[in-house]
Amino acid sequence: MLRRNICLPNTTFISHQGDWPMPAGKTAIITGSTSGIGLAIASSLAAKGADVVLNSFSDSDADREAASKLAKAHGVKAIYVQADMSKPEDCRRLV
């Protein structure tokens, strides 16, 4: 079974096996989330009613479009914030 770890911006740490425990009305920051597994996680959280912050180190129209598509598809708030996780100042700006 796949183990999933989620760190929420309010400093709550969730480690859970199985179905996502994310209640509606919370906001999740998902790094590396404009494609692949990160985008799938963001989509899953948005489908459960969580607002999402997408992130990658690039800054393209496609990155912002990914957030827009999630917001429209799931009726949640979804934004894109460019930040390089190897740079402490970018990490602080993301949160």
Side-chain angles (χ1 to χ4, degrees):
M1 182 183 282
L2 180 62
R3 185 173 187 94
R4 298 175 179 105
N5 295 319
I6 306 167
C7 187
L8 303 175
N10 66 358
T11 68
T12 300
F13 183 76
I14 298 172
S15 180
H16 183 71
Q17 292 181 348
D19 196 23
W20 292 105
M22 179 64 71
K26 295 286 187 175
T27 300
I29 298 173
I30 306 98
T31 59
S33 55
T34 57
S35 65
I37 293 171
L39 183 57
I41 291 169
S43 181
S44 179
L45 291 170
K48 297 282 187 182
D51 295 329
V52 293
V53 178
L54 303 185
N55 160 262
S56 71
F57 61 85
S58 63
D59 191 14
S60 70
D61 290 340
D63 296 332
R64 288 180 289 285
E65 182 63 23
S68 178
K69 285 181 180 179
L70 280 182
K72 289 176 186 171
H74 301 292
V76 298
K77 293 179 187 174
I79 64 169
Y80 170 76
V81 178
Q82 186 280 330
D84 184 339
M85 295 296 93
S86 69
K87 298 178 179 176
E89 63 275 8
D90 281 10
C91 293
R92 285 188 289 276
R93 186 171 44 80
L94 176 62
V95 175

